[in-house]
């Protein structure tokens, strides 16, 4: 009797040890996929809303600034995206702070 119960208990424990982490991992993967989809949609909406367009200064489009903003390819990860946005913002600030020639 005890050997049968201990075997059953060992089987239940082994199944728990194998199934629960696998379930948690699959659940985390689905959650990350959903988050990636939301981030992609949000990024597309930001690029379509004109947030990344170059500034006009006295009716003249800043060509150098426009080239810096639009020559970059699609951002491959969040760190690159954040760095590119920081770089574009700094370029705009520097272009605006220069005296008009």
């Amino acid at each position: 009797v005890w050997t049968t119960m201990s075997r059953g208990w060992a089987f239940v424990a082994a199944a728990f040890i194998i199934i629960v982490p696998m379930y948690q991992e699959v659940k985390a993967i689905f959650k990350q996929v959903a988050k990636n989809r939301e981030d992609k949609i949000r990024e597309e909406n930001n690029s379509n809303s004109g947030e990344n367009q170059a500034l006009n200064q006295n009716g003249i489009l800043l060509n150098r600034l426009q080239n810096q903003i639009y020559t970059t390819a699609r951002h491959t990860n969040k760190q690159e995206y954040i760095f590119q946005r920081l770089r574009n913002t700094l370029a705009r600030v520097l272009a605006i702070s220069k005296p008009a020639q």
Side-chain angles (χ1 to χ4, degrees), residues 54 64 75 99:
R64 195 183 92 215
H75 307 292

Side-chain angles (χ1 to χ4, degrees), residues 1-11:
V1 176
W2 286 105
T3 57
T4 305
M5 287 179 60
S6 64
R7 283 183 185 176
W9 177 252
F11 180 77

